[in-house]
């Protein structure tokens, strides 16, 4: 996947060294390609790259639950966030799992015929709006929360990175918009998608440090991966002063999850460029323009600085989603029985 990069010039995988080179090795083995733009775009910060990869690997690729179910969750979150890049990518991955019609139905705005997938999709889409997420029944057993909650939170982060820093083109000339191309791409990923991965192998790549592991993750490797990504992403707060940090959290606290209208008077102007970029990254990353980046960037602001600033805004939104989803997880340890259970 060779998506076009906006605002940054990432290091190509073949030139990577150290931690980043190890991430790309795992990407090639476990994800099916070392050229996934959603990760390469973070290469200016090896710590962000490694932490984002670890969370995706341990939840989407190796977490509990089914790969098809976790792909439905990733696709549902991407639809809620209007991340065209990720919608197209995970539709292709559902082709790879053998669930092409399911992926096509969801990507087109339809509802799966399978009621379990329909509930999972609704849960994932509701996760953008905390009030709705808090009312949505868990569509999976509580012991599968690391896989499904981890995947949802991973894609609340990845969607925002992709929408802010990538174009919408997964493939050149938007070829991924053709079903035949999605089918062919799915076949190329089939072996990787259907492989059984050993959990925890990405944790050796994480930056060192003691971090609080979230309760919803239990003793799963998803917990350390999520804690590492949150810790590294929040470092971007250093680009805002204390008043701006407080204002960002205040606006996120009041946000209901809706996509903002074209006229958005609450958004700070370009005279407060760091705060503006953080809020755009959190709420409407697809609306970040070159002028927004230029208003903030100085000769001292490298690509490393920009990806950390965007990651900070993304993480503020992820924290809100986590609070809503995990409140539901803690409250609902019993879920709707499956058809097989009802028949017993």
């Amino acid at each position: 996947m060779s998506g076009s990069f906006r605002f940054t010039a990432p290091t190509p995988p073949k030139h990577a060294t150290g931690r980043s080179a190890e991430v790309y090795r795992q990407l090639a083995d476990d994800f099916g390609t070392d050229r996934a733009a959603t990760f390469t775009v973070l290469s200016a910060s090896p710590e962000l790259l490694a932490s984002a990869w670890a969370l995706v690997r341990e939840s989407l690729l190796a977490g509990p639950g089914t790969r098809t179910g976790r792909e439905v969750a990733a696709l549902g979150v991407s639809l809620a966030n209007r991340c065209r890049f990720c919608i197209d990518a995970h539709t292709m991955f559902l082709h790879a799992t053998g669930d092409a019609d399911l992926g096509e139905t969801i990507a087109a705005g339809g509802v799966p015929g399978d009621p379990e997938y329909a509930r999972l999709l609704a849960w994932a889409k509701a996760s953008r709006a905390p009030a709705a997420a808090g009312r949505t029944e868990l569509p999976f057993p509580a012991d599968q929360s690391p896989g499904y909650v981890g995947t949802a939170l991973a894609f609340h982060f990845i969607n925002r990175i992709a929408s802010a820093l990538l174009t919408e083109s997964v493939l050149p000339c938007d070829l991924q918009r053709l079903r035949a191309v999605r089918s062919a791409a799915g076949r190329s990923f089939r072996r990787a998608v259907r492989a059984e991965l050993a959990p925890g192998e990405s944790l050796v790549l994480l930056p060192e440090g003691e971090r609080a592991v979230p309760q919803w993750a239990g003793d799963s490797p998803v917990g350390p991966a999520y804690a590492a990504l949150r810790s590294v992403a929040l470092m971007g707060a250093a680009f805002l002063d204390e008043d701006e940090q407080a204002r960002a959290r205040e606006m996120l606290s009041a946000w209901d999850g809706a996509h903002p209208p074209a006229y958005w008077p609450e958004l700070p102007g370009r005279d407060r460029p760091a705060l503006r970029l953080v809020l755009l990254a959190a709420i409407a990353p697809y609306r970040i323009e070159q002028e927004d980046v230029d208003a903030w960037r100085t000769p001292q602001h490298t690509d490393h600085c920009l990806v950390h600033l965007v990651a900070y805004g993304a993480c503020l939104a992820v924290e809100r989603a986590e609070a809503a989803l995990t409140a539901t997880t803690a409250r609902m340890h019993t879920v709707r029985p499956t058809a097989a259970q009802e028949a017993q």
Side-chain angles (χ1 to χ4, degrees), residues 272-296:
R272 304 193 73 182
L275 179 58
R276 180 183 177 92
L277 280 171
V278 164
L279 290 168
L280 283 168
I283 296 173
Y286 46 81
R287 287 175 58 171
I288 293 178
E289 299 176 352
Q290 185 68 56
E291 291 81 1
D292 298 313
V293 176
D294 290 345
W296 170 76

Side-chain angles (χ1 to χ4, degrees), residues 3-344:
S4 299
F5 303 105
R6 303 200 305 154
F7 316 132
T8 68
T11 302
K14 65 181 179 180
H15 295 150
T17 60
R19 191 196 310 271
S20 295
E22 286 301 304
V23 171
Y24 289 130
R25 182 190 62 76
Q26 282 198 4
L27 274 164
D29 291 344
D30 297 346
F31 199 65
T33 178
D34 64 357
R35 292 175 292 144
T38 46
F39 296 107
T40 306
V41 74
L42 295 172
S43 63
S45 171
E47 295 79 12
L48 270 176
L49 170 62
S51 300
W53 160 242
L55 181 55
V56 171
R57 184 197 186 276
E58 301 306 333
S59 59
L60 176 68
L61 275 61
T66 68
R67 178 63 186 266
T68 294
R70 297 191 301 271
E71 287 290 347
V72 169
L75 191 48
V77 171
S78 301
L79 283 164
N81 289 326
R82 299 181 182 174
C83 180
R84 187 72 252 174
F85 187 100
C86 293
I87 291 168
D88 289 340
H90 291 278
T91 302
M92 291 192 293
F93 283 131
L94 281 168
H95 277 264
T97 65
D99 301 287
D101 288 343
L102 175 63
E104 295 293 332
T105 295
I106 295 172
V111 177
D114 184 313
E116 292 189 13
Y117 288 141
R119 288 194 294 271
L120 183 57
L121 177 66
W123 170 84
K125 292 172 74 172
S127 66
R128 179 176 167 92
R135 296 192 301 267
T136 304
E137 182 177 328
L138 286 184
F140 46 80
D143 62 0
Q144 293 180 4
S145 291
Y148 289 109
V149 174
T151 294
L153 296 178
F155 281 87
H156 275 295
F157 182 81
I158 293 293
N159 287 169
R160 288 168 168 83
I161 296 299
S163 292
L165 300 177
L166 300 178
T167 70
E168 293 184 348
S169 298
V170 178
L171 297 173
C173 302
D174 278 342
L175 287 174
Q176 77 282 351
R177 301 293 167 83
L178 301 175
R179 178 163 180 157
V181 174
R182 292 193 292 272
S183 178
R187 287 194 297 273
S188 73
F189 283 99
R190 188 171 295 168
R191 182 176 179 180
V193 164
R194 299 184 182 186
E196 292 290 333
L197 300 182
E201 291 187 355
S202 68
L203 300 188
V204 297
L205 302 173
L206 295 177
E208 295 182 359
E210 293 292 328
R211 306 176 185 95
V213 175
Q215 289 187 346
W216 55 263
D219 59 0
S220 164
V222 174
Y226 176 78
L229 178 59
R230 179 180 179 275
S231 175
V232 174
L234 289 178
M235 292 179 182
F239 294 106
L240 283 71
D241 62 34
E242 291 185 2
D243 288 343
E244 289 175 326
Q245 292 178 37
R247 178 59 177 157
R249 289 190 174 276
E250 178 185 350
M251 286 188 67
L252 265 293
S253 178
W255 176 49
D256 63 1
H259 290 271
Y263 176 62
W264 184 9
E266 295 83 9
L267 180 67
R270 293 189 178 119
D271 57 332
R272 304 193 73 182
L275 179 58
R276 180 183 177 92
L277 280 171
V278 164
L279 290 168
L280 283 168
I283 296 173
Y286 46 81
R287 287 175 58 171
I288 293 178
E289 299 176 352
Q290 185 68 56
E291 291 81 1
D292 298 313
V293 176
D294 290 345
W296 170 76
R297 203 160 191 174
T298 69
Q300 289 73 40
H301 288 141
T302 62
D303 285 357
H304 179 275
C305 301
L306 180 58
V307 297
H308 269 276
L309 185 65
V310 171
Y312 175 61
C315 190
L316 293 180
V318 170
E319 286 185 324
R320 276 175 51 78
E322 182 196 20
L325 291 177
T326 56
T328 306
T329 303
R331 189 176 70 249
M332 297 181 177
H333 289 282
T334 59
V335 301
R336 187 191 305 273
T338 65
Q341 290 170 331
E342 289 177 337
Q344 291 177 353

